[in-house]
Amino acid sequence: MKILFAATEAVPFCKTGGLGDVCGALPIELAKLGHEVMLVIPAFRRALDSGQPIEPTNEHFSIEIGGRDVAGRFLKSHLPDSNVPVYLVEQHHYYDRPELYRQSGADYADNCERFVFFCRAVLEAIDRFAPDTQLVHCHDWQTGLLPVYLKVLDGSAASLERVASVFTIHNLAYQGSFWHLDMPLTGLDWSYFNHDQLEFYGQLNFMKSGLSFADSLTTVSPTYAKEIQAAELGCGLDGVLRHRADDLHGIINGVDYNEWNPDTDRRIAASFNANTYREGKPLCKAALQREMNLPQAFGTPLLAIVGRLADQKGFDLLAQVIPQTAERGGVQWAILGTGEPQYHEQLSELAARFPERVAVRLEFSNDLAHRIEAGADMFVMPSRYEPCGLNQMYSLRYGTVPIVRSTGGLADTITNTTPETLANRTANGFSFADYSADALMHAVDRALAAYHEEETWRQIVSTGMRQDWSWANSARQYSELYRDTLERVNLV
Protein backbone atom coordinates (compact mmCIF):
# COMPACT_ATOMS: atom_id res chain seq x y z
CA MET A 1 0.00 0.00 0.00
CA LYS A 2 1.01 3.61 -0.55
CA ILE A 3 0.43 5.54 2.66
CA LEU A 4 0.93 9.16 3.61
CA PHE A 5 1.31 10.18 7.26
CA ALA A 6 0.19 13.72 8.10
CA ALA A 7 1.27 14.90 11.55
CA THR A 8 2.72 17.88 13.36
CA GLU A 9 5.34 15.96 15.37
CA ALA A 10 7.81 13.21 14.60
CA VAL A 11 10.96 12.18 16.42
CA PRO A 12 13.71 13.28 15.87
CA PHE A 13 12.40 16.46 14.22
CA CYS A 14 10.06 17.76 16.92
CA LYS A 15 8.07 16.37 19.81
CA THR A 16 5.90 17.53 22.69
CA GLY A 17 4.46 14.13 23.62
CA GLY A 18 3.64 10.62 22.46
CA LEU A 19 2.46 11.82 19.04
CA GLY A 20 6.08 12.52 18.11
CA ASP A 21 7.17 9.03 19.13
CA VAL A 22 4.39 7.41 17.10
CA CYS A 23 5.05 9.31 13.89
CA GLY A 24 8.80 8.87 14.16
CA ALA A 25 8.62 5.10 14.58
CA LEU A 26 5.42 3.68 13.05
CA PRO A 27 6.17 4.74 9.43
CA ILE A 28 9.52 2.91 9.61
CA GLU A 29 7.89 -0.29 10.86
CA LEU A 30 5.23 -0.07 8.14
CA ALA A 31 7.96 0.31 5.52
CA LYS A 32 9.57 -2.86 6.87
CA LEU A 33 6.29 -4.64 6.10
CA GLY A 34 6.60 -3.59 2.47
CA HIS A 35 4.42 -0.48 2.40
CA GLU A 36 5.49 2.73 0.68
CA VAL A 37 5.21 5.40 3.38
CA MET A 38 5.72 9.16 3.25
CA LEU A 39 5.50 11.65 6.13
CA VAL A 40 4.49 15.33 5.94
CA ILE A 41 5.09 17.68 8.90
CA PRO A 42 5.31 21.46 9.34
CA ALA A 43 8.79 22.99 9.12
CA PHE A 44 8.66 24.21 12.70
CA ARG A 45 11.72 26.08 13.96
CA ARG A 46 12.38 23.16 16.29
CA ALA A 47 12.36 20.74 13.35
CA LEU A 48 14.79 22.89 11.38
CA ASP A 49 17.06 23.09 14.42
CA SER A 50 16.88 19.34 15.11
CA GLY A 51 20.20 18.60 13.47
CA GLN A 52 18.62 16.31 10.89
CA PRO A 53 19.74 16.68 7.26
CA ILE A 54 17.11 18.80 5.52
CA GLU A 55 17.38 20.00 1.94
CA PRO A 56 15.26 22.39 -0.14
CA THR A 57 13.12 21.33 -3.06
CA ASN A 58 12.01 23.36 -6.05
CA GLU A 59 8.38 22.74 -5.18
CA HIS A 60 6.69 26.02 -4.27
CA PHE A 61 2.95 26.44 -3.85
CA SER A 62 0.32 28.99 -2.89
CA ILE A 63 -2.90 28.49 -0.95
CA GLU A 64 -5.78 30.92 -0.55
CA ILE A 65 -6.42 31.54 3.14
CA GLY A 66 -9.07 34.04 4.12
CA GLY A 67 -9.10 35.80 0.77
CA ARG A 68 -5.34 36.13 0.36
CA ASP A 69 -2.70 33.92 -1.22
CA VAL A 70 -0.17 32.42 1.20
CA ALA A 71 3.02 31.01 -0.30
CA GLY A 72 4.86 27.94 0.91
CA ARG A 73 7.63 25.57 -0.08
CA PHE A 74 8.51 21.95 0.60
CA LEU A 75 11.75 20.84 2.21
CA LYS A 76 12.84 17.20 2.23
CA SER A 77 14.49 14.81 4.67
CA HIS A 78 14.21 11.17 5.80
CA LEU A 79 13.41 9.39 9.01
CA PRO A 80 16.79 8.19 10.36
CA ASP A 81 18.05 4.78 9.27
CA SER A 82 15.16 4.31 6.86
CA ASN A 83 14.03 5.08 3.34
CA VAL A 84 10.89 6.91 4.59
CA PRO A 85 10.87 10.40 3.05
CA VAL A 86 9.82 13.36 5.16
CA TYR A 87 8.45 16.49 3.51
CA LEU A 88 8.42 19.62 5.66
CA VAL A 89 5.96 22.43 4.91
CA GLU A 90 7.93 25.67 5.04
CA GLN A 91 6.00 28.85 5.80
CA HIS A 92 8.01 31.10 8.07
CA HIS A 93 5.15 33.29 9.32
CA TYR A 94 3.23 30.24 10.55
CA TYR A 95 5.96 27.89 11.73
CA ASP A 96 9.14 29.83 12.53
CA ARG A 97 8.19 30.29 16.18
CA PRO A 98 9.72 29.32 19.53
CA GLU A 99 7.12 26.65 20.28
CA LEU A 100 4.86 24.42 18.21
CA TYR A 101 1.36 25.35 19.38
CA ARG A 102 1.53 27.83 22.24
CA GLN A 103 3.81 30.18 24.10
CA SER A 104 3.81 31.51 27.68
CA GLY A 105 0.90 29.26 28.55
CA ALA A 106 -1.43 30.47 25.78
CA ASP A 107 -2.27 29.01 22.37
CA TYR A 108 -1.14 30.98 19.34
CA ALA A 109 -4.10 33.14 18.29
CA ASP A 110 -3.84 32.06 14.64
CA ASN A 111 -3.67 28.29 15.21
CA CYS A 112 -6.75 27.76 13.08
CA GLU A 113 -5.11 29.49 10.14
CA ARG A 114 -1.77 27.75 10.71
CA PHE A 115 -3.25 24.26 10.54
CA VAL A 116 -5.75 24.99 7.77
CA PHE A 117 -2.66 25.90 5.76
CA PHE A 118 -0.91 22.69 6.82
CA CYS A 119 -3.86 20.47 5.85
CA ARG A 120 -4.12 22.14 2.46
CA ALA A 121 -0.35 21.81 2.02
CA VAL A 122 -0.62 18.05 2.57
CA LEU A 123 -2.95 17.88 -0.42
CA GLU A 124 -0.30 19.74 -2.43
CA ALA A 125 2.28 17.18 -1.28
CA ILE A 126 0.11 14.33 -2.52
CA ASP A 127 -0.28 16.00 -5.90
CA ARG A 128 3.46 16.69 -6.30
CA PHE A 129 5.20 13.76 -4.63
CA ALA A 130 2.74 10.86 -4.31
CA PRO A 131 -0.24 11.13 -6.70
CA ASP A 132 -0.85 7.38 -6.33
CA THR A 133 -1.37 7.61 -2.55
CA GLN A 134 -4.04 5.16 -1.43
CA LEU A 135 -4.52 6.19 2.18
CA VAL A 136 -3.76 9.22 4.35
CA HIS A 137 -3.19 8.58 8.06
CA CYS A 138 -4.08 11.77 9.95
CA HIS A 139 -2.96 12.42 13.52
CA ASP A 140 -4.78 14.53 16.11
CA TRP A 141 -6.80 17.72 15.74
CA GLN A 142 -4.19 19.62 13.74
CA THR A 143 -4.96 17.33 10.78
CA GLY A 144 -8.70 17.09 11.42
CA LEU A 145 -9.68 18.96 8.27
CA LEU A 146 -7.78 16.59 5.99
CA PRO A 147 -10.47 13.88 5.93
CA VAL A 148 -12.97 16.64 5.10
CA TYR A 149 -10.89 17.94 2.20
CA LEU A 150 -10.37 14.42 0.86
CA LYS A 151 -14.13 13.94 0.76
CA VAL A 152 -15.43 17.29 -0.49
CA LEU A 153 -12.81 19.16 -2.52
CA ASP A 154 -13.23 18.99 -6.25
CA GLY A 155 -11.59 20.54 -9.30
CA SER A 156 -7.81 20.25 -9.01
CA ALA A 157 -8.21 17.77 -6.17
CA ALA A 158 -10.34 15.32 -8.18
CA SER A 159 -7.56 12.70 -7.99
CA LEU A 160 -8.13 12.60 -4.22
CA GLU A 161 -11.50 10.94 -4.64
CA ARG A 162 -9.82 7.54 -4.44
CA VAL A 163 -7.78 8.30 -1.31
CA ALA A 164 -9.06 6.82 1.96
CA SER A 165 -8.39 8.31 5.38
CA VAL A 166 -7.65 7.05 8.88
CA PHE A 167 -7.82 9.54 11.75
CA THR A 168 -6.02 8.81 15.03
CA ILE A 169 -6.97 10.38 18.36
CA HIS A 170 -3.88 10.72 20.55
CA ASN A 171 -5.63 12.77 23.24
CA LEU A 172 -9.30 13.67 22.89
CA ALA A 173 -8.99 16.53 25.38
CA TYR A 174 -7.12 18.66 22.81
CA GLN A 175 -9.62 19.37 20.04
CA GLY A 176 -8.68 22.47 18.06
CA SER A 177 -11.84 24.44 18.74
CA PHE A 178 -12.10 27.91 17.18
CA TRP A 179 -14.41 30.89 16.75
CA HIS A 180 -17.14 30.13 14.22
CA LEU A 181 -16.12 33.12 12.12
CA ASP A 182 -12.85 31.32 11.35
CA MET A 183 -14.89 29.03 9.10
CA PRO A 184 -14.08 31.03 5.92
CA LEU A 185 -10.37 30.35 6.52
CA THR A 186 -11.01 26.68 5.75
CA GLY A 187 -12.20 27.35 2.22
CA LEU A 188 -15.18 25.10 2.90
CA ASP A 189 -18.79 26.00 2.33
CA TRP A 190 -20.79 27.14 5.37
CA SER A 191 -23.13 24.21 4.78
CA TYR A 192 -20.57 21.95 6.48
CA PHE A 193 -20.82 24.01 9.66
CA ASN A 194 -23.60 21.93 11.17
CA HIS A 195 -24.22 19.74 14.20
CA ASP A 196 -23.34 16.51 12.38
CA GLN A 197 -20.08 17.66 10.82
CA LEU A 198 -17.79 20.60 11.74
CA GLU A 199 -19.80 22.53 14.36
CA PHE A 200 -19.44 21.86 18.09
CA TYR A 201 -21.37 24.09 20.51
CA GLY A 202 -21.19 27.01 18.10
CA GLN A 203 -17.51 26.63 17.33
CA LEU A 204 -15.45 25.17 14.50
CA ASN A 205 -13.94 21.96 15.87
CA PHE A 206 -11.06 20.27 14.04
CA MET A 207 -11.23 17.09 16.12
CA LYS A 208 -14.93 16.61 15.41
CA SER A 209 -14.25 17.26 11.73
CA GLY A 210 -11.82 14.35 11.58
CA LEU A 211 -14.12 12.09 13.57
CA SER A 212 -17.04 12.87 11.27
CA PHE A 213 -15.33 12.49 7.90
CA ALA A 214 -12.51 9.93 8.21
CA ASP A 215 -13.17 6.46 6.82
CA SER A 216 -11.71 4.78 9.92
CA LEU A 217 -10.91 6.05 13.40
CA THR A 218 -8.26 4.82 15.79
CA THR A 219 -6.96 5.70 19.19
CA VAL A 220 -3.87 4.59 21.02
CA SER A 221 -5.16 1.79 23.24
CA PRO A 222 -8.18 -0.55 23.32
CA THR A 223 -9.29 0.62 26.77
CA TYR A 224 -9.13 4.30 25.82
CA ALA A 225 -11.28 3.51 22.75
CA LYS A 226 -13.97 2.29 25.14
CA GLU A 227 -13.50 5.06 27.71
CA ILE A 228 -13.98 7.92 25.25
CA GLN A 229 -17.39 6.59 24.23
CA ALA A 230 -18.67 7.48 27.71
CA ALA A 231 -19.36 10.95 29.05
CA GLU A 232 -16.62 10.95 31.71
CA LEU A 233 -13.72 10.87 29.22
CA GLY A 234 -15.61 11.68 26.02
CA CYS A 235 -14.88 15.41 26.27
CA GLY A 236 -18.29 16.17 24.78
CA LEU A 237 -17.64 14.05 21.70
CA ASP A 238 -18.74 10.72 23.18
CA GLY A 239 -21.97 10.83 21.16
CA VAL A 240 -20.04 11.21 17.89
CA LEU A 241 -17.76 8.34 18.90
CA ARG A 242 -20.63 6.06 19.87
CA HIS A 243 -22.22 6.81 16.52
CA ARG A 244 -19.00 5.68 14.83
CA ALA A 245 -18.22 2.84 17.23
CA ASP A 246 -18.01 0.27 14.44
CA ASP A 247 -15.26 2.33 12.77
CA LEU A 248 -13.29 3.03 15.97
CA HIS A 249 -10.30 0.83 16.80
CA GLY A 250 -7.87 0.86 19.72
CA ILE A 251 -4.27 -0.04 18.84
CA ILE A 252 -1.68 0.26 21.57
CA ASN A 253 1.37 2.37 20.80
CA GLY A 254 4.71 0.63 20.62
CA VAL A 255 8.18 1.24 22.01
CA ASP A 256 11.23 1.99 19.89
CA TYR A 257 13.67 -0.49 21.39
CA ASN A 258 16.51 1.05 19.39
CA GLU A 259 16.03 4.10 21.63
CA TRP A 260 14.74 2.52 24.86
CA ASN A 261 16.80 -0.57 25.57
CA PRO A 262 19.06 -0.86 28.65
CA ASP A 263 21.24 -3.38 26.83
CA THR A 264 22.36 -0.77 24.28
CA ASP A 265 21.56 2.55 26.01
CA ARG A 266 24.68 4.73 26.02
CA ARG A 267 23.13 7.31 28.34
CA ILE A 268 23.14 5.04 31.40
CA ALA A 269 25.91 4.02 33.80
CA ALA A 270 25.86 0.31 32.98
CA SER A 271 24.13 -1.80 30.37
CA PHE A 272 21.91 -4.72 31.36
CA ASN A 273 19.13 -6.99 30.15
CA ALA A 274 16.67 -9.48 31.60
CA ASN A 275 19.52 -11.88 32.37
CA THR A 276 22.01 -9.35 33.78
CA TYR A 277 19.91 -6.68 35.48
CA ARG A 278 20.93 -7.77 38.97
CA GLU A 279 24.49 -6.73 38.11
CA GLY A 280 23.83 -3.65 35.96
CA LYS A 281 20.81 -2.02 37.59
CA PRO A 282 22.47 -1.43 41.00
CA LEU A 283 25.23 0.51 39.24
CA CYS A 284 22.62 2.63 37.46
CA LYS A 285 20.78 3.21 40.73
CA ALA A 286 23.92 4.38 42.51
CA ALA A 287 24.78 6.72 39.63
CA LEU A 288 21.26 8.17 39.66
CA GLN A 289 21.35 8.72 43.41
CA ARG A 290 24.64 10.59 43.02
CA GLU A 291 23.28 12.69 40.16
CA MET A 292 20.12 13.57 42.09
CA ASN A 293 22.05 14.24 45.33
CA LEU A 294 20.31 11.43 47.19
CA PRO A 295 22.07 9.15 49.68
CA GLN A 296 23.53 6.08 47.96
CA ALA A 297 21.52 3.44 49.73
CA PHE A 298 20.95 0.43 47.49
CA GLY A 299 18.43 -1.18 49.83
CA THR A 300 16.21 1.91 49.90
CA PRO A 301 13.50 1.70 47.21
CA LEU A 302 13.74 4.55 44.71
CA LEU A 303 10.42 5.66 43.18
CA ALA A 304 10.44 7.77 40.02
CA ILE A 305 8.20 10.10 38.06
CA VAL A 306 8.95 11.56 34.63
CA GLY A 307 6.42 13.66 32.78
CA ARG A 308 4.20 16.67 32.61
CA LEU A 309 3.35 18.10 36.04
CA ALA A 310 -0.42 18.35 35.64
CA ASP A 311 -3.66 17.11 37.16
CA GLN A 312 -4.14 14.71 34.24
CA LYS A 313 -0.98 12.89 35.32
CA GLY A 314 -2.24 12.50 38.89
CA PHE A 315 -0.08 15.13 40.55
CA ASP A 316 -2.94 16.18 42.78
CA LEU A 317 -2.72 12.66 44.26
CA LEU A 318 1.07 12.63 44.32
CA ALA A 319 1.09 15.93 46.19
CA GLN A 320 -0.55 14.03 49.06
CA VAL A 321 1.27 10.71 48.80
CA ILE A 322 4.88 11.90 48.40
CA PRO A 323 5.01 13.78 51.75
CA GLN A 324 3.31 10.87 53.53
CA THR A 325 5.97 8.42 52.37
CA ALA A 326 8.77 10.90 52.97
CA GLU A 327 7.65 11.48 56.54
CA ARG A 328 7.58 7.72 57.19
CA GLY A 329 11.03 7.30 55.68
CA GLY A 330 12.52 4.28 53.99
CA VAL A 331 11.94 5.51 50.42
CA GLN A 332 13.42 7.96 47.94
CA TRP A 333 11.73 9.90 45.11
CA ALA A 334 13.30 11.11 41.86
CA ILE A 335 11.04 13.47 39.88
CA LEU A 336 11.67 15.01 36.45
CA GLY A 337 9.31 17.27 34.54
CA THR A 338 7.75 20.65 33.97
CA GLY A 339 4.16 21.80 34.02
CA GLU A 340 1.71 23.70 36.18
CA PRO A 341 3.26 26.34 38.47
CA GLN A 342 1.49 25.01 41.58
CA TYR A 343 3.26 21.68 41.25
CA HIS A 344 6.61 23.35 40.60
CA GLU A 345 6.14 25.13 43.92
CA GLN A 346 4.87 22.11 45.85
CA LEU A 347 7.61 19.79 44.63
CA SER A 348 10.32 22.36 45.28
CA GLU A 349 9.05 22.73 48.84
CA LEU A 350 9.08 18.95 49.32
CA ALA A 351 12.64 18.71 48.01
CA ALA A 352 13.73 21.44 50.44
CA ARG A 353 11.88 19.78 53.32
CA PHE A 354 13.14 16.24 52.61
CA PRO A 355 16.48 16.70 50.82
CA GLU A 356 17.57 13.10 51.46
CA ARG A 357 14.28 11.60 50.30
CA VAL A 358 12.87 13.81 47.51
CA ALA A 359 14.91 15.00 44.50
CA VAL A 360 13.28 17.19 41.89
CA ARG A 361 14.46 18.46 38.49
CA LEU A 362 12.01 20.97 37.00
CA GLU A 363 13.20 20.63 33.42
CA PHE A 364 12.97 18.50 30.30
CA SER A 365 15.94 16.18 29.81
CA ASN A 366 15.76 13.11 27.61
CA ASP A 367 19.15 11.94 28.86
CA LEU A 368 18.11 12.17 32.52
CA ALA A 369 14.82 10.43 31.68
CA HIS A 370 16.82 7.44 30.45
CA ARG A 371 18.98 7.41 33.57
CA ILE A 372 15.89 7.58 35.79
CA GLU A 373 14.30 4.64 33.98
CA ALA A 374 17.50 2.64 34.41
CA GLY A 375 18.19 3.56 38.04
CA ALA A 376 14.79 3.65 39.71
CA ASP A 377 13.11 0.64 41.29
CA MET A 378 9.53 1.75 40.60
CA PHE A 379 7.84 4.17 38.21
CA VAL A 380 4.65 5.89 39.38
CA MET A 381 1.87 6.90 36.93
CA PRO A 382 -1.41 7.59 38.79
CA SER A 383 -3.02 9.26 35.76
CA ARG A 384 -6.56 10.59 35.83
CA TYR A 385 -6.69 9.35 32.23
CA GLU A 386 -3.95 8.09 29.93
CA PRO A 387 -4.76 7.40 26.25
CA CYS A 388 -1.75 5.11 25.94
CA GLY A 389 1.28 6.08 27.98
CA LEU A 390 4.81 5.12 27.00
CA ASN A 391 6.80 5.49 30.19
CA GLN A 392 5.23 2.42 31.74
CA MET A 393 6.42 0.38 28.75
CA TYR A 394 9.89 1.93 28.91
CA SER A 395 9.92 1.06 32.60
CA LEU A 396 9.08 -2.58 31.95
CA ARG A 397 12.11 -3.00 29.67
CA TYR A 398 14.38 -1.23 32.20
CA GLY A 399 13.28 -3.41 35.11
CA THR A 400 11.54 -0.50 36.83
CA VAL A 401 8.23 -1.80 38.12
CA PRO A 402 5.25 0.42 37.20
CA ILE A 403 2.66 1.57 39.75
CA VAL A 404 -0.28 2.86 37.71
CA ARG A 405 -3.92 3.74 37.79
CA SER A 406 -5.90 1.28 35.70
CA THR A 407 -7.03 3.54 32.86
CA GLY A 408 -6.45 3.69 29.10
CA GLY A 409 -3.20 2.20 27.92
CA LEU A 410 -2.03 1.70 31.49
CA ALA A 411 -4.81 -0.86 31.94
CA ASP A 412 -3.82 -2.57 28.69
CA THR A 413 -0.13 -2.95 29.49
CA ILE A 414 0.18 -3.42 33.26
CA THR A 415 -1.04 -6.61 34.96
CA ASN A 416 -1.66 -6.02 38.64
CA THR A 417 0.30 -8.17 41.07
CA THR A 418 -2.02 -10.55 42.92
CA PRO A 419 -1.59 -14.11 44.18
CA GLU A 420 -3.24 -15.31 40.96
CA THR A 421 -1.06 -13.27 38.57
CA LEU A 422 2.06 -14.26 40.48
CA ALA A 423 1.05 -17.89 40.19
CA ASN A 424 0.52 -17.68 36.43
CA ARG A 425 3.59 -15.42 36.02
CA THR A 426 1.78 -12.53 34.31
CA ALA A 427 2.25 -9.90 37.06
CA ASN A 428 4.40 -7.01 35.80
CA GLY A 429 3.37 -4.12 38.08
CA PHE A 430 0.83 -2.69 40.50
CA SER A 431 -2.43 -0.96 39.62
CA PHE A 432 -5.43 0.61 41.33
CA ALA A 433 -8.84 1.73 40.13
CA ASP A 434 -10.24 4.54 42.31
CA TYR A 435 -8.85 7.98 41.59
CA SER A 436 -7.89 8.81 45.17
CA ALA A 437 -4.78 9.38 47.25
CA ASP A 438 -5.76 6.46 49.49
CA ALA A 439 -5.93 4.07 46.54
CA LEU A 440 -2.55 5.26 45.25
CA MET A 441 -1.02 4.96 48.71
CA HIS A 442 -2.31 1.40 49.03
CA ALA A 443 -0.74 0.48 45.66
CA VAL A 444 2.57 2.04 46.67
CA ASP A 445 2.53 0.14 49.96
CA ARG A 446 1.85 -3.14 48.15
CA ALA A 447 4.77 -2.47 45.83
CA LEU A 448 7.07 -1.58 48.72
CA ALA A 449 6.12 -4.80 50.51
CA ALA A 450 6.85 -6.85 47.38
CA TYR A 451 10.18 -5.05 46.94
CA HIS A 452 11.37 -6.54 50.21
CA GLU A 453 10.38 -10.06 49.12
CA GLU A 454 13.36 -10.87 46.91
CA GLU A 455 11.94 -13.79 44.91
CA THR A 456 8.60 -12.06 44.31
CA TRP A 457 10.28 -8.87 43.16
CA ARG A 458 12.67 -10.74 40.90
CA GLN A 459 9.74 -12.48 39.20
CA ILE A 460 7.82 -9.22 38.63
CA VAL A 461 10.89 -7.49 37.20
CA SER A 462 11.80 -10.42 34.97
CA THR A 463 8.27 -10.76 33.60
CA GLY A 464 8.16 -7.11 32.59
CA MET A 465 11.64 -7.06 31.05
CA ARG A 466 10.87 -10.03 28.81
CA GLN A 467 7.63 -8.66 27.35
CA ASP A 468 7.55 -7.33 23.78
CA TRP A 469 5.82 -3.99 23.30
CA SER A 470 7.67 -3.16 20.08
CA TRP A 471 6.28 -1.16 17.20
CA ALA A 472 6.35 -4.26 15.02
CA ASN A 473 3.21 -5.55 16.76
CA SER A 474 1.37 -2.26 16.36
CA ALA A 475 2.43 -1.90 12.72
CA ARG A 476 0.89 -5.26 11.82
CA GLN A 477 -2.41 -4.16 13.35
CA TYR A 478 -2.35 -0.86 11.47
CA SER A 479 -1.52 -2.66 8.24
CA GLU A 480 -4.60 -4.86 8.66
CA LEU A 481 -6.75 -1.82 9.46
CA TYR A 482 -5.52 0.03 6.36
CA ARG A 483 -6.40 -2.93 4.16
CA ASP A 484 -9.81 -3.35 5.77
CA THR A 485 -10.50 0.36 5.33
CA LEU A 486 -9.66 0.32 1.63
CA GLU A 487 -11.86 -2.73 1.12
CA ARG A 488 -14.74 -1.21 3.05
CA VAL A 489 -14.75 1.98 1.00
CA ASN A 490 -14.29 0.01 -2.24
CA LEU A 491 -10.84 1.38 -3.09
CA VAL A 492 -9.16 -1.98 -3.71
Side-chain angles (χ1 to χ4, degrees), residues 320-365:
Q320 302 174 62
V321 167
I322 293 173
Q324 289 182 46
T325 60
E327 286 172 352
R328 286 189 327 201
V331 300
Q332 295 175 338
W333 290 85
I335 303 164
L336 171 66
T338 62
E340 297 175 11
Q342 62 174 326
Y343 295 124
H344 283 227
E345 182 178 346
Q346 290 176 6
L347 291 171
S348 297
E349 290 175 352
L350 287 171
R353 182 179 167 193
F354 303 103
E356 295 189 346
R357 298 172 187 170
V358 180
V360 177
R361 296 289 185 272
L362 298 175
E363 60 185 82
F364 172 81
S365 170

Side-chain angles (χ1 to χ4, degrees), residues 214-486:
D215 295 307
S216 291
L217 308 176
T218 76
T219 192
V220 290
S221 71
T223 295
Y224 190 60
K226 297 174 184 176
E227 290 174 337
I228 58 178
Q229 295 181 57
E232 183 179 2
L233 293 181
C235 301
L237 292 171
D238 49 292
V240 178
L241 290 161
R242 287 194 299 273
H243 178 70
R244 299 217 57 193
D246 290 344
D247 302 322
L248 175 61
H249 308 267
I251 300 176
I252 198 80
N253 283 342
V255 173
D256 182 355
Y257 287 132
N258 293 319
E259 174 73 8
W260 293 94
N261 183 353
D263 209 17
T264 58
D265 194 336
R266 297 182 179 181
R267 299 177 175 90
I268 64 179
S271 61
F272 60 90
N273 56 39
N275 296 319
T276 63
Y277 76 90
R278 281 182 287 172
E279 292 78 39
K281 196 167 176 67
L283 300 175
C284 293
K285 181 174 181 176
L288 178 62
Q289 288 170 326
R290 286 195 299 271
E291 182 173 1
M292 302 293 282
N293 296 318
L294 292 168
Q296 293 182 54
F298 175 71
T300 300
L302 177 53
L303 287 72
I305 306 166
V306 176
R308 183 163 47 88
L309 312 184
D311 284 348
Q312 185 225 316
K313 299 297 184 180
F315 273 88
D316 54 334
L317 306 185
L318 288 163
Q320 302 174 62
V321 167
I322 293 173
Q324 289 182 46
T325 60
E327 286 172 352
R328 286 189 327 201
V331 300
Q332 295 175 338
W333 290 85
I335 303 164
L336 171 66
T338 62
E340 297 175 11
Q342 62 174 326
Y343 295 124
H344 283 227
E345 182 178 346
Q346 290 176 6
L347 291 171
S348 297
E349 290 175 352
L350 287 171
R353 182 179 167 193
F354 303 103
E356 295 189 346
R357 298 172 187 170
V358 180
V360 177
R361 296 289 185 272
L362 298 175
E363 60 185 82
F364 172 81
S365 170
N366 186 49
D367 289 349
L368 180 54
H370 280 251
R371 292 193 288 272
I372 288 175
E373 289 284 10
D377 297 301
M378 306 167 204
F379 196 97
V380 187
M381 295 181 69
S383 302
R384 187 180 297 271
Y385 67 94
E386 194 67 58
C388 176
L390 290 171
N391 277 106
Q392 83 278 12
M393 291 187 280
Y394 302 156
S395 298
L396 291 172
R397 182 51 62 102
Y398 282 73
T400 303
V401 174
I403 303 172
V404 306
R405 180 164 176 263
S406 185
T407 183
L410 302 178
D412 293 322
T413 54
I414 303 306
T415 300
N416 187 35
T417 297
T418 66
E420 292 75 22
T421 60
L422 284 172
N424 62 29
R425 308 189 75 83
T426 59
N428 65 359
F430 296 83
S431 63
F432 63 98
D434 293 340
Y435 190 80
S436 70
D438 287 344
L440 170 58
M441 191 73 216
H442 182 61
V444 169
D445 284 340
R446 288 194 298 116
L448 293 174
Y451 177 82
H452 294 292
E453 297 175 5
E454 184 175 349
E455 289 301 319
T456 297
W457 193 255
R458 188 179 301 171
Q459 179 186 322
I460 297 168
V461 170
S462 179
T463 297
M465 292 191 74
R466 296 178 189 281
Q467 290 179 325
D468 181 7
W469 296 102
S470 67
W471 272 111
N473 296 326
S474 305
R476 285 190 288 271
Q477 293 180 64
Y478 276 110
S479 182
E480 293 173 7
L481 174 65
Y482 296 156
R483 196 168 303 282
D484 289 346
T485 300
L486 291 174

